[in-house]
Each structure stands twice: as C-alpha cells, then as structure tokens.
C-alpha cells in the first residue's frame, strides 16, 4: 500500500457501534479495511486483584460484573470453581435453580446481543422488542434475588434463597411467552433480504482458524465446531437435560446469528425442563464452615449465632491448592483459575474470558471487509468489555 | 398590483410558515410513530403528548454552543447548512397543493409558481441540495464527516439517474413538464396504475435521495457516527435536520403529485386529499425506517446501477413503445 493512500480511522472507545469501550484502530483504503488493531483497557476495574483481598463469598458480586449482560452465568463459573477448590457437592435443587438462572442470564445476554447487533446494522426496532422480553427476565431476577441486572443469587455451596410461588409462575409465563417473541425476531430479521446480504459471507472464519484463535461459544459453533462445555464437561446437572448444540457451517456473521438464535430456543428448553422437574430438598449445603445458618436458629441458638458471626467476619477457608474450572458463559468458555493458600482469600484469581479471545480475533476477521461490515462483525462476535478488561 | 405583488407575498408567507410547521411536526410524527412501533411513547413531556416538542427543540438548538472545529474550512462549513435548507425551501414553491378556487372574483391558485419546466426545476434543485451534505461533510475536517460526504456524492451521482428516468416516463405520458399539467392529466386514473414500475423506482430512489433508511449511507449513525453532520452543533445542525425533513415532505408531495393524482379525490376538498396522500407517503417512509436494516454502501450502488437504472430505462422504452402503438 503506497504511502498516503490509506486513512487511519479511530473507531471507539465512544463510537456508537463498538459496544462498551472497545477501540479499534482501522486503516482504510477507501472504505476497505486493510489493517485493524483492537485496543482494550478502558474498563479496567481490577476485578482479579480485588478478589485477592476479599473472601470467597464476597467475590461473587465481582463475578457478576464481568459480563454484566449475563451476570448469573458468571456466578455459575465462579461458584463452581470455588466449590471444586473446596470439594463441595451442591444439592440437586440448588443445581437446578442455578441452571435456570444461568440459562435466563444466557438469554439476557443474547437479548442484548440481538438488539445491539441489529441496531448496528440499522434495524432499530429489534432492540426494543428484545428489551421488552429482557424485562421479563429482570422481573424474575428481582423476584428471587432482589436485584435485576446483576442478581448475585449464587452462594458458595448453593443459592441464596428458595423459590417463591411467584418465581415459578413468572418463569413458566416466560417459557410460554418467549418462543412467540423469538418468532417475532425471526420474522424481522432471518429472511429479510437486506439482513442476509449484510450478514451472509461477512467475516467468515474457518473451524481451524477459530480454534487457533481461541474462540469459544457461539462464535466457535458458528464455524461448525460442536464444542459446548455444558455437553463436553457437564457441570451443575447439565447432563440431566435434553438439549442440542446448534452449529453453523461457514462461520460468517449470519451463521453466528443463526447459532445464537437457536441457543435462545435451546435455553428455553432447558429452563422448561428444569422448572418442571425441580427436585425437592435444600437449596444450599449445610456446612458450618461455608453456609449461613437459617435466621430462626440464629436468634435462638448461641452456637448458630457464633457460626454466622465467624462466617461473616472471616468467611469460608479455601485449601492450599489450585483449580481451573470452566463453564459455558453466554459468550463462550468462561474459566476461573483459582489458587488457594489455606486462607479465606484466594491467593490468585485469573479469569479466562471468552470475550478477550473474541476481540483478539478481530484483526483477522476485519481485514478485507468494508467499514460497514466491521460493524456487523463486531456485533456478531458479541464482546462485552467488562469481561475483557476485568 | 394585487395580482403581481400582494397575492404572491401572502402566499409566500402562508406557504413558508405552514410548510415549516408541517416539517417541524413531521419530526414529531416520526418520533411518535417510531415510538409506538417500538413499544414506547415517544415525546410525552412537552405539551399534550409532546406536541410542543418541535418548538422546544428549536429553542434548545438556538441556545446551544456554536462549535466550529479548528481544522474546518470555516466559510464552507458555515455555508453548507444554508445551502441545504434554502434549496429545500425553494422546492416548496412549485408544489401544487390543491385545485384553484375563486374568491372575490379573483382566481387563486394553490401553488406559488407553475413554471413550464416544473419537474426539471425540482430535479435540479434537489440535486443542488446535496451540495450541502457533501460540502458539510468535507469541510468539517473530520474523517467520519469526510466519509459521509464521499458517500453522499456517490449516492447523488447514481440515484439522480433512476429518479429522472422514472419521471421521464410520466413526462412522456403527460406531454408536459409542468406539475399542474401532470396532476390535471391524472383526472380519473392515477399514474400509479398506469406506471407501477416507475412508481416503485421513484419511491426507492427517492428514499435513497433523501438519505433515509435503508439507504442512509451519508449519516449511518452506527457506522459513521452521523457522518456528514457529526461536527455540526446548535442551529447549524438544526438547519440540516430541517432540510432533511423538508426534503422528505417535498418528496412525499412529489409522489402524490406525480403518481397518486395530486389533489384529485372524491368528496373532500382537493387540498385535504393532497395532504392525506402526502402524509401516507411520509408514514411509509417512517415505517420503513423502523423496520429495515441499512444496506451496505457498495450494495446500494449495485442496486442502483444493476437493477433500478436498467428497470427504469426499460420502463421508459416500454412506455414509448406502447404510446407509439396505441
């Protein structure tokens, strides 16, 4: 490329289509991208470092704020990793409730994705339909956890509370309603001629390249690799449920779109099975070193009060060992690497964030496409900067 | 004196105020209709159902800070919105809003002028209006604005052609360039029945000419962060905005005039019919904006050169052949 023939354009960190604060420096020849460099770090909050100074229980809200679009799915990752470190087996009812919350969070994350992705490509109405349905999930979160966006419903050893009748009712309502809404999104986009010309054949990545780039989640499955941790290494009773892993063929924007659209349907299927077959029993283990006593016995029994006091001032103690545990977050393999040192804080927490790998694949995805495609591609890999910068 | 001075001046004043009010309320209508399509209310706070919103927006824009970027070409930067808005308002002059009527023995026409070159005047000035967009984008010294300006120039070069060819088939059938003659010729059967292909070509390329979704290349808010007007603030931005909506109103009136029979219609007075049809077209524009994604820049060009232009040309040829035979 001759000198002076290209212009360098700075997309982000406050460009309307680079979600959150992603900054991509693109070099343009006309409207064709010849070089793209993503920059990250505008949303760094030091979550990994903060976790080292908090006890295991206290770090759960931090994990909510990784991929804030699907908070419960991160809770799942963190809590199962800590439980693996401490060797805890969670009661079945808690596992099912966790699955419901995590799948609802996955749907929430995908809602944000479909809304913004369509908005970037110019279909401005989809986001409002998506957010109408997202609101129903927020209400469910509020019902059971008290919080809406970042519920922090998970605890080490179980979940925070048992279900309420309203929760069951609202989840059933959502399961019944959502397939219709999903059909609405399909009507607006899937066979829309403009949508298909904007997405088909754009930003393709082969299965080999996708694996080499470390892509996981829907973006990898769009390239035809049926790798889903929920199936490959089942955790939290995922092997009890009957669901499929949707895969694409070409790995272009449209395939990634179809994969996520099908994941909506599969998540609903999982939630339906979980809510109908919710087992009876406790929602957390009863271990004096990990979980709180119930509030009635705290007021009547001095030893239970002491147990609560110790748990709240010190927290559960992690053994002196290392674990890595990964779950299928909304964006891909969300892994937590924890080093315990026999105290109540982890010595080190490292998050394997799927979005980091997705963003690092951007240079090879963007080159050769037009600037309008760059928007479609950034939307289709669905990065959340909270998780990249941590 | 009365015929040549007072009546035209009164008409200018009425036309200017009424049309600008209509344009201002088109922005309100757009926000309301978009809102209701998108499960929200749109403006609700200023006045009953946000009816004073356009006025509040205007006042707000007057009090906003004027920002002129350091590396902008200052003269051109200031001139661009002026070109946009003045050209858009000039276009209003020859739209025939209704049939002539007689008052105090004087025949009053509901158009300001009826030049014999009518439609050419419109096409010419509509193209001039795009200079506002191009110069505004180019002079603001911003890469996004620059790219928006580039896209605007490419759009004008291409879509003017099919627009003109769609109009040519109407001119052939009417035998006149005057808009009033075109409306009169549609008494009985509207042109949309006789020329459905030209109607669709005109509708599509007109939407492209207006830079509205799905062809909003020059501003493309998610790609170019509003493109050509990214550096504009306060009233300069409002002028661009007004020009855009005036163009939309003119476009809708043109579709009404050329294809939907202008003021013709049963029972109601002509001017009422004219506005019903015009607002129907505006509604369609808004509806399209709410529904469709944006096309990619090169696909927009492809659509024009490989589809619309050949179709419009073929339509002209077929029209000519049929007219020669019948």
């Amino acid at each position: 490329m001759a000198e002076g023939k290209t212009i360098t354009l700075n997309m982000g960190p406050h460009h309307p289509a680079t979600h959150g604060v992603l900054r991509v420096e693109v070099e343009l020849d006309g409207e064709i991208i010849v070089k793209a460099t993503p920059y990250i770090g505008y949303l760094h909050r030091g979550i990994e470092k903060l976790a080292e100074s908090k006890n295991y229980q206290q770090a759960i809200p931090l994990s909510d704020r990784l991929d804030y679009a699907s908070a419960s799915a991160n809770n799942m990752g963190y809590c199962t990793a800590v439980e693996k470190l401490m060797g805890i087996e969670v009661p079945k009812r808690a596992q099912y409730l966790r699955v419901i919350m995590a799948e609802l969070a996955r749907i929430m994350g995908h809602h944000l994705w479909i809304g913004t992705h369509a908005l970037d490509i110019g279909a401005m109405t989809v986001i409002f339909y998506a957010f109408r349905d997202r609101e129903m999930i927020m209400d469910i979160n509020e019902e059971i956890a008290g919080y809406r966006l970042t519920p922090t419903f998970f605890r080490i050893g179980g979940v925070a509370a048992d279900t309420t009748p309203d929760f069951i009712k609202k989840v059933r309502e959502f399961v019944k309603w959502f397939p219709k809404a999903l059909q609405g999104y399909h009507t607006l986009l899937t066979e829309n001629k403009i949508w298909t010309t904007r997405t088909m054949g754009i930003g393709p990545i082969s299965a080999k390249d996708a694996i080499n780039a470390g892509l996981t989640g829907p973006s990898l499955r769009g390239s035809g690799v049926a790798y889903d941790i929920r199936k490959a290494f089942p955790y939290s009773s995922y092997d009890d449920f009957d669901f499929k892993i949707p895969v694409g063929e070409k790995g272009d924007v449209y395939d990634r779109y179809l994969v996520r659209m099908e994941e909506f349907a599969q998540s609903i299927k999982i939630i339906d099975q979980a809510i109908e077959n919710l087992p009876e029993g406790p929602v957390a283990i009863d271990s004096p070193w990990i979980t709180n006593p119930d509030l009635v016995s705290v007021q009547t029994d001095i030893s239970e009060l002491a147990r609560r006091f110790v748990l709240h001032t010190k927290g559960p103690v992690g053994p002196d060992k290392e674990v890595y545990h990964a779950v299928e977050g909304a964006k891909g393999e969300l892994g937590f690497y924890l080093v315990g040192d026999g105290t109540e804080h982890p010595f080190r927490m490292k998050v394997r964030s799927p979005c980091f790998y997705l963003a690092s694949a951007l240079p090879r995805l963007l080159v050769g496409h037009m600037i309008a495609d760059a928007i479609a591609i950034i939307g289709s890999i669905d990065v959340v900067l909270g998780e990249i910068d941590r | 004196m009365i015929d040549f001075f007072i009546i035209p001046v009164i008409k200018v004043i009425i036309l200017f105020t009424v049309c600008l009010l209509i344009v201002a309320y088109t922005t309100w209508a757009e926000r309301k209709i978009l809102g209701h399509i998108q499960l929200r209310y749109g403006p609700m706070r200023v006045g009953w159902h946000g009816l004073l919103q356009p006025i509040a927006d205007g006042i707000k824009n007057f009090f906003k800070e004027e920002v002129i970027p350091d590396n902008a070409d200052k003269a051109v930067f200031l001139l661009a919105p002026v070109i946009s808005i003045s050209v858009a308002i000039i276009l209003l002059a020859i739209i025939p809003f209704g049939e002539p009527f007689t008052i105090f023995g004087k025949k009053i026409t509901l158009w300001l002028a009826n030049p014999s070159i009518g439609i050419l005047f419109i096409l010419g000035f509509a193209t001039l209006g795009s200079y506002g967009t191009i110069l505004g984008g180019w002079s603001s010294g911003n890469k996004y604005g620059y790219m928006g300006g580039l896209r605007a120039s490419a759009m004008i070069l291409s879509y003017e052609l099919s627009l003109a060819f769609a109009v040519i088939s109407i001119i052939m059938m009417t035998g006149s360039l005057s808009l009033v003659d075109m409306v009169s010729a549609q008494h009985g059967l509207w042109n949309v029945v006789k020329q459905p292909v030209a109607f669709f070509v005109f509708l599509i390329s007109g939407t492209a000419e207006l830079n509205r979704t799905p062809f909003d290349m020059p501003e493309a808010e998610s790609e170019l962060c509003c493109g050509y007007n990214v550096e504009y603030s306060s009233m300069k931005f409002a002028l661009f905005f007004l020009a855009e909506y005036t163009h939309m109103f003119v476009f809708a009136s043109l579709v009404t005039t050329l294809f939907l029979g202008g003021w013709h219609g049963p029972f109601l007075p002509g001017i009422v019919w004219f506005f019903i049809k015009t607002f129907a077209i505006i509604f369609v524009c808004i509806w399209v904006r709410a529904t469709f994604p944006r096309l990619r820049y090169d696909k927009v060009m492809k659509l024009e050169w490989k589809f619309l232009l050949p179709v419009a040309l073929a339509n002209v040829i077929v029209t000519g052949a049929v007219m020669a035979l019948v």
Side-chain angles (χ1 to χ4, degrees), chain B residues 191-209:
Chain B
N191 275 341
V192 64
V193 185
K194 292 187 238 168
Q195 287 284 357
V197 178
F199 174 70
F200 281 111
V201 170
F202 191 85
L203 209 58
I204 296 172
S205 34
T207 318
E209 190 75 5

Side-chain angles (χ1 to χ4, degrees), chain A residues 64-267:
Chain A
D64 272 298
R65 280 140 188 89
L66 286 171
D67 171 6
Y68 40 77
S70 52
S72 289
N74 312 333
N75 283 175
M76 176 75 106
Y78 176 72
C79 290
T80 44
V82 173
E83 281 149 14
K84 194 170 174 184
L85 180 77
M86 297 180 177
I88 300 167
E89 180 68 26
V90 178
K92 205 75 174 164
R93 187 176 173 85
Q95 291 190 4
Y96 272 51
L97 278 174
R98 284 178 169 193
V99 166
I100 293 171
M101 293 303 280
E103 292 304 317
L104 284 174
R106 186 185 315 281
I107 294 177
M108 258 170 96
H110 284 5
H111 271 146
L112 187 72
W113 156 78
I114 180 105
T116 50
H117 186 33
L119 188 67
D120 291 346
I121 296 189
M124 59 194 299
T125 300
V126 184
I127 190 166
F128 294 97
Y129 291 171
F131 271 54
R132 168 196 60 192
D133 306 329
R134 198 166 181 259
E135 193 65 22
M136 293 178 79
I137 305 182
M138 297 261 208
D139 285 344
I140 294 171
N141 283 348
E142 190 180 5
E143 173 63 34
I144 194 159
Y147 297 97
R148 291 162 63 78
L149 184 68
T150 50
T152 321
F153 181 59
F154 291 37
R155 296 287 182 275
I156 311 297
V159 292
D162 206 343
T163 57
T164 62
D166 259 13
F167 171 78
I168 307 270
K169 198 174 122 243
K170 280 181 175 167
V171 172
R172 282 195 177 131
E173 263 169 25
F174 182 72
V175 167
K176 201 155 163 267
W177 154 255
F178 188 63
K180 273 182 255 166
L182 187 60
Q183 196 51 47
Y185 310 160
H186 274 298
T187 316
L188 274 172
L189 296 177
T190 305
E191 279 170 29
N192 185 328
K193 184 75 182 142
I194 301 178
W195 180 262
T196 51
T197 48
R198 278 304 298 276
T199 53
M200 276 183 178
I202 305 299
I205 184 161
S206 68
K208 188 163 165 259
D209 281 352
I211 292 170
N212 285 344
L215 301 193
T216 46
S219 305
L220 175 67
R221 295 195 281 275
S223 300
V225 184
Y227 175 65
D228 186 323
I229 300 170
R230 289 174 293 173
K231 281 269 193 213
F233 307 102
Y235 53 89
S236 193
S237 302
Y238 265 111
D239 38 3
D240 291 4
F241 305 113
D242 167 37
F243 65 100
K244 282 201 235 9
I245 307 171
V247 289
E249 285 165 17
K250 294 187 280 300
D252 56 4
V253 173
Y254 190 67
D255 277 3
R256 293 195 276 271
Y257 159 79
L258 284 183
V259 164
R260 285 203 180 84
M261 289 300 265
E262 186 52 31
E263 281 193 12
F264 271 130
Q266 296 301 328
S267 289

Side-chain angles (χ1 to χ4, degrees), chain B residues 230-243:
Chain B
V230 65
E231 291 288 359
Y232 281 89
S233 61
S234 80
M235 215 47 209
K236 296 197 294 299
F237 169 75
L239 287 183
F240 268 129
F241 200 69
L242 270 184

Side-chain angles (χ1 to χ4, degrees), chain B residues 78-100:
Chain B
L78 293 178
L79 191 65
V82 178
I83 296 177
S84 268
I85 187 72
S86 42
V87 164
I89 290 172
I90 287 171
L91 287 177
L92 291 169
I94 66 163
I95 307 282
F97 290 100
E99 55 215 322

Side-chain angles (χ1 to χ4, degrees), chain B:
Chain B
M1 177 64 185
I2 288 180
D3 280 348
F4 292 107
F5 188 71
I6 296 179
I7 292 178
V9 165
I10 292 173
K11 279 206 278 193
V12 166
I13 293 169
I14 292 175
L15 183 77
F16 191 73
T17 44
V18 170
C19 284
L20 277 193
L21 264 182
I22 288 175
V23 168
Y25 277 93
T26 312
T27 65
W28 175 84
E30 166 138 36
R31 293 172 66 177
K32 270 309 213 198
I33 294 168
L34 273 185
H36 281 277
I37 290 176
Q38 296 167 349
L39 315 164
R40 53 195 179 87
Y41 290 112
M44 283 300 275
R45 293 303 174 96
V46 194
W48 186 75
H49 280 257
L51 266 176
L52 296 177
Q53 188 69 46
I55 295 158
D57 285 346
I59 294 171
K60 186 188 77 177
N61 272 316
F62 265 113
F63 287 104
K64 286 283 174 186
E65 189 191 351
E66 290 272 319
V67 180
I68 299 175
D70 278 348
N71 49 354
D73 187 331
K74 198 175 167 193
V76 185
F77 186 76
L78 293 178
L79 191 65
V82 178
I83 296 177
S84 268
I85 187 72
S86 42
V87 164
I89 290 172
I90 287 171
L91 287 177
L92 291 169
I94 66 163
I95 307 282
F97 290 100
E99 55 215 322
F101 63 94
T102 322
I103 185 166
F104 301 128
K106 290 228 174 292
K107 190 170 170 236
I108 308 279
T109 54
L110 282 177
W111 51 85
L112 200 59
N114 180 21
S116 55
I117 54 161
I119 189 72
L120 287 186
F121 177 90
I122 296 251
L123 287 177
F125 267 96
T127 314
L128 270 186
S130 316
Y131 275 104
T133 314
I134 299 172
L135 293 177
W138 173 77
S139 67
S140 50
N142 178 305
K143 283 169 189 165
Y144 288 108
Y146 169 70
M147 286 173 67
L150 275 189
R151 284 179 173 196
S153 50
M155 295 278 287
I156 293 147
L157 275 179
S158 359
Y159 277 84
E160 274 297 308
L161 284 170
S162 54
L163 203 67
F165 275 113
V167 171
I168 281 177
S169 51
I170 302 295
I171 299 173
M172 284 161 71
M173 289 179 61
T174 318
S176 162
L177 291 169
S178 151
L179 291 179
V180 179
D181 291 351
M182 285 179 181
V183 177
S184 309
Q186 292 182 66
H187 192 68
L189 197 56
W190 295 354
N191 275 341
V192 64
V193 185
K194 292 187 238 168
Q195 287 284 357
V197 178
F199 174 70
F200 281 111
V201 170
F202 191 85
L203 209 58
I204 296 172
S205 34
T207 318
E209 190 75 5
L210 288 173
N211 299 329
R212 283 186 65 86
T213 315
F215 307 104
D216 54 346
M217 296 302 113
E219 41 180 306
E221 63 244 13
S222 58
E223 294 156 25
L224 300 183
C225 330
C226 289
Y228 69 93
N229 60 24
V230 65
E231 291 288 359
Y232 281 89
S233 61
S234 80
M235 215 47 209
K236 296 197 294 299
F237 169 75
L239 287 183
F240 268 129
F241 200 69
L242 270 184
E244 198 171 298
Y245 281 84
T246 315
H247 272 295
M248 185 159 108
F249 177 63
V250 170
F251 165 71
S253 341
L254 270 187
V255 175
T256 309
T257 309
L258 295 180
F259 294 97
L260 300 180
W263 63 71
H264 293 305
F267 311 122
L268 297 169
I271 190 158
V272 178
W273 271 113
F274 179 87
F275 279 111
I276 289 175
K277 292 170 189 173
T278 305
F279 287 128
I281 295 293
I282 290 179
F283 177 76
V284 170
C285 282
I286 297 170
W287 189 7
V288 164
R289 178 171 173 207
T291 313
F292 284 127
R294 182 181 306 113
L295 270 169
R296 204 174 68 192
Y297 168 66
D298 60 327
K299 302 271 182 196
V300 174
M301 295 296 128
K302 215 173 261 178
L303 176 75
E304 160 66 17
W305 293 100
K306 292 194 173 165
F307 179 72
L308 284 181
L309 188 59
V311 165
L313 261 175
N315 186 51
V316 169
I317 294 167
V318 171
T319 310
V322 171
M323 281 172 70
L325 290 175
V326 177

